[in-house]
């Protein structure tokens, strides 16, 4: 069964970027500390990265995040999603209008203009097709940004929430939680390393 997994790094004070994020400063001021774990040599950090990307049949992201990763200082062969770990999944972008051009033409992009639920449905179809082709159970991963994941949680679209809690206080930035509908979480796993505490919850 294809699950919808929200997976994001967050600071101790609840921010998924530092202050002043933008296309040329995607993680905001100081926000790079949120992703230190993804470049760590710690075996547990490497396992989380490997397992997280290996389960990805399709990945959903919002337009602001797409503009960052597709921008001139965005992803490349060494820093893209799961770089060096697995093959590249399909990517589904929630947007009001598709971009005029895409720099990362080597990736499979779908642009959905009819809202987040339709984007998740499209990603589920891609993940199920990839599962049938590979013979493995693959999931849809919501990678962000924070507003996209927050909206998905509020809409009841998320089955599993994985947080990589970085040991940093950013003071300001893009919050992950801004209110919305209450959700009950069941903690399934906790793994601590020197760079993050990896938390996995089922969302009821």
């Amino acid at each position: 069964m294809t699950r919808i997994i929200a997976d994001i790094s967050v600071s101790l004070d609840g921010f998924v970027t530092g202050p002043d994020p933008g296309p040329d400063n995607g993680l905001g001021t100081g926000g790079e500390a949120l992703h230190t774990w993804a470049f760590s040599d710690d075996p547990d950090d490497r396992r989380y990265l490997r397992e997280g990307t290996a389960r990805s049949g399709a990945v959903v992201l919002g337009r602001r995040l797409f503009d960052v990763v597709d921008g001139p200082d965005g992803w490349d062969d060494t820093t893209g999603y799961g770089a060096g770990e697995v093959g590249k999944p399909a990517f589904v972008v929630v947007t009001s209008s598709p971009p005029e051009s895409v720099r990362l033409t080597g990736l499979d992009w779908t642009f959905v203009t009819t809202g987040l639920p339709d984007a998740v449905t499209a990603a589920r179809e891609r993940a199920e097709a990839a599962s049938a082709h590979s013979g493995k159970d693959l999931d849809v991963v919501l990678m962000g940004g924070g507003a996209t994941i927050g909206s998905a949680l509020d809409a009841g679209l998320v089955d599993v929430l994985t947080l990589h809690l970085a040991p940093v206080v950013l003071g300001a930035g893009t919050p992950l939680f801004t209110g919305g509908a209450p959700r009950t979480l069941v903690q399934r796993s906790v793994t601590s390393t020197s760079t993050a505490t990896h938390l996995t919850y089922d969302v009821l």
Side-chain angles (χ1 to χ4, degrees), residues 92-109:
V92 177
V93 181
V94 188
T95 181
S96 58
S97 61
E100 294 182 2
S101 62
V102 175
R103 178 178 66 86
L104 297 168
T105 55
L107 300 178
D108 180 357
W109 296 103

Side-chain angles (χ1 to χ4, degrees), residues 13-139:
D13 50 347
F15 295 104
V16 297
T17 76
D20 302 317
D24 298 325
N25 189 29
L27 289 173
T29 302
E32 294 81 4
L34 295 173
H35 290 173
T36 299
W37 72 271
F39 301 95
S40 164
D41 291 329
D42 184 284
D44 285 324
D45 288 330
R46 300 308 305 171
R47 177 176 58 83
Y48 261 86
L49 185 65
R50 181 176 62 254
E51 292 178 353
T53 53
R55 73 178 179 233
S56 304
V59 176
V60 176
L61 61 159
R63 178 58 186 267
R64 288 183 182 177
L65 181 54
F66 167 79
D67 288 341
V68 170
V69 302
D70 193 55
D73 297 321
W75 287 352
D76 55 30
D77 290 340
T78 62
T79 60
Y81 186 87
E85 294 291 342
V86 295
K88 295 178 173 61
F91 292 91
V92 177
V93 181
V94 188
T95 181
S96 58
S97 61
E100 294 182 2
S101 62
V102 175
R103 178 178 66 86
L104 297 168
T105 55
L107 300 178
D108 180 357
W109 296 103
T110 298
F111 298 92
V112 175
T113 61
T114 52
L116 180 58
D118 286 346
V120 170
T121 296
R124 187 191 295 273
E125 292 171 352
R126 302 302 295 273
E128 289 174 347
S131 296
H133 179 74
S134 67
K136 299 186 296 184
D137 289 331
L138 299 175
D139 298 315

Side-chain angles (χ1 to χ4, degrees), residues 162-190:
T162 297
L163 300 178
H164 309 284
L165 186 63
V168 59
V169 174
L170 293 173
T174 304
L176 178 57
F177 302 112
T178 58
R183 292 289 166 193
T184 299
L185 307 179
V186 177
Q187 185 169 286
R188 293 304 183 195
S189 68
V190 179

